[in-house]
Every structure is written in C-alpha cells, then in structure tokens.
Amino acid sequence: MSTFDDLIAEASAVPVAGWDFSWFAGRATEQRPSWGYARLLGRQMAGARRAVDLQTGGGEVLAGVESVPPLLVATEGWPPNVAVARRRLAPLGVHVVRAAQDGGLPLRSGCFDLVVSRHPTVVDWSEVARVLVPGGAYLSQQIGPDSVGELRAALGVSVPPRADQRPDRVRDAATAAGLDVVDLRMESLRVEFFDIAAVVVFLRKVVWTVPGFTVDRYRARLAALHRRICAEGVFVAYSRRVLVRAYRR
C-alpha cells in the first residue's frame, strides 16, 4: 500500500489544466445527474446556427458534440485552459476566445441563438441575455450550493454557501435579465474518493472548492483524512448540480 507521502507526491505531479477527469478512473467516482447534460447539449446544438459555449474549460464537453452549428464559439478565462481548448476544438472549427470570468463577453449583442455553459464559476445573466437573439435559448448545468461541503468540513474549512447558486436565486436572476426559465432542477449526487491522492488532485483542479488550497497548508488535515480513508475504504461527499433551460424574451 502506498504511503501518505507517496500519494501526496503523486498527486502533486498530476497536470491539472483542462477538464479531463480520466485520471480519476478507479480512484474517485461521481454520480451523474439524471437529465444527461451531454445529451441535452447535443440536441440543442443540432438545431442551432450560431452558438457559444461559455467557460468551456479545455473544451472536453464541447468536443463531444456530434452536430456542430455553422458558427460555434467558445470562451475561457484561464490561460492554460485556453491553449488546451484551442488544440482540442480546432478540428471542429470552433473559435476559442479568451474572456475573463468576471468581465463582459467580447461578443456582439444579439449574435447567438444558443448559449450553453457547463459548471460556470460565475454567471453574468445580463451578458447571457445581451448576446442572445430574442427567442434564443440558454442551457446550463451549474454548481449547486455547498457542493462537496463534506470535503471542506473534513479539512476544517468553513465557506458560507453561495446564495446565488440556489435554484430560487438562479430563477430570480435569470428572470430579471430578461430570460424565461422553462426548466430548473437540482440534484444531490454521491462523490467517492478512494485515496488521498484523488482528494488532492480534485482540490488542485477544482480550485474554488477550497480557495487557496495547498498541500503544505492542509497537510495535517490531509493526513487525518488519509487515515480515515484507509480505515473506511472511501470518503463520501455530495455534489450538487442545477439544470437551467431558458429563453430570451
């Protein structure tokens, strides 16, 4: 059995650019939402002519779309992800644009009939409405409030749940921006970590889970969690996902 130090060293060496989670195979699992975002995305893209994927990450989800609209744009704010997305999406003819997550979109108003986004860190509803044509569609799978809060608790981290991630606040914000929400659902999904390396890679990759995370800062807590996983075989947390489907008025 690998030691704590061995697992920490392994986890610290894993590249974390992009949103490819294949490294976690056999080391962590996450239950998928019942609505099947990839399937919904494919259906929406098949009927679109001009679409944009906001905060595309490394373009992993977008690359799986079978029918690509004549104009397809992707935005991303983290420079390492921009490079990954451009390499991955170039064969599909996707235009990848660097755009800060907390700033305006460098896109023309009323240009797109479809805006999509999977796991955006923030949602600027006014910008979503601005770039959509009247009647244009918005499809998003978002992070729900206090997602994997059990993991933060295990590390002694107290982060107040973001009120803007609650479904009622999502509806209010979308409506205020000029969107009619036609589908809004939230599910709580089981997440399993089978070793401490999986925990560390997850925290390095999904950086908003524990802001400012470093191994050195949380080493004692990680060691305690390592012992717990060794004793129990798994650490369980619960992610929360929110599906949003809306149309611009």
Side-chain angles (χ1 to χ4, degrees):
M1 182 178 294
S2 298
T3 68
F4 173 73
D5 288 338
D6 289 340
L7 291 168
I8 292 297
E10 179 186 1
S12 299
V14 174
V16 292
W19 288 111
D20 181 358
F21 283 75
S22 60
W23 179 89
F24 290 92
R27 310 186 79 149
T29 64
E30 181 177 2
Q31 184 183 3
R32 298 303 182 192
S34 63
W35 50 72
Y37 178 77
R39 182 177 66 255
L40 294 176
L41 177 65
R43 290 175 182 172
Q44 293 279 172
M45 285 288 182
R49 292 193 56 80
R50 300 183 303 278
V52 58
D53 181 26
L54 304 180
Q55 300 181 39
T56 194
E60 294 83 1
V61 176
L62 196 58
V65 172
E66 294 184 2
S67 180
V68 176
L71 174 63
L72 183 53
V73 176
T75 73
E76 175 55 32
W78 193 37
N81 276 353
V82 173
V84 172
R86 283 175 175 161
R87 289 194 300 270
R88 177 173 282 114
L89 299 175
L92 299 179
V94 179
H95 305 278
V96 178
V97 178
R98 183 175 177 181
Q101 295 174 348
D102 56 355
L105 295 171
L107 304 170
R108 289 187 298 169
S109 299
C111 185
F112 298 96
D113 51 31
L114 175 64
V115 174
V116 301
S117 188
R118 180 179 180 271
H119 301 176
T121 55
V122 294
V123 180
D124 188 330
W125 293 101
S126 62
E127 283 292 273
V128 170
R130 181 183 66 79
V131 301
L132 276 171
V133 300
Y138 176 70
L139 171 69
S140 180
Q141 178 176 293
Q142 302 180 3
I143 308 298
D146 201 30
S147 190
V148 293
E150 299 83 359
L151 180 54
R152 282 188 290 273
L155 296 180
V157 176
S158 178
V159 178
R162 282 176 50 182
D164 64 311
Q165 294 178 330
R166 287 169 25 196
D168 60 328
R169 294 290 187 90
V170 168
R171 183 184 294 277
D172 290 346
T175 301
L179 302 176
D180 290 326
V181 178
V182 297
D183 194 357
L184 181 64
R185 289 177 265 171
M186 183 171 76
E187 292 184 356
S188 184
L189 308 161
R190 184 181 175 95
V191 180
E192 299 177 332
F193 297 95
F194 300 115
D195 66 30
I196 199 64
V199 171
V200 170
V201 174
F202 179 83
L203 293 172
R204 291 180 59 228
K205 198 173 188 71
V206 189
V207 294
W208 53 85
T209 304
V210 176
F213 170 80
T214 65
V215 168
D216 288 342
R217 182 177 181 183
Y218 290 96
R219 192 174 189 87
R221 291 279 187 168
L222 291 169
L225 185 53
H226 167 69
R227 292 191 294 271
R228 177 175 172 181
I229 295 173
C230 290
E232 300 176 5
V234 65
F235 176 77
V236 177
Y238 290 87
S239 65
R240 290 167 183 83
R241 298 290 180 262
V242 177
L243 176 71
V244 188
R245 291 177 56 239
Y247 293 88
R248 183 189 166 192
R249 291 194 291 271

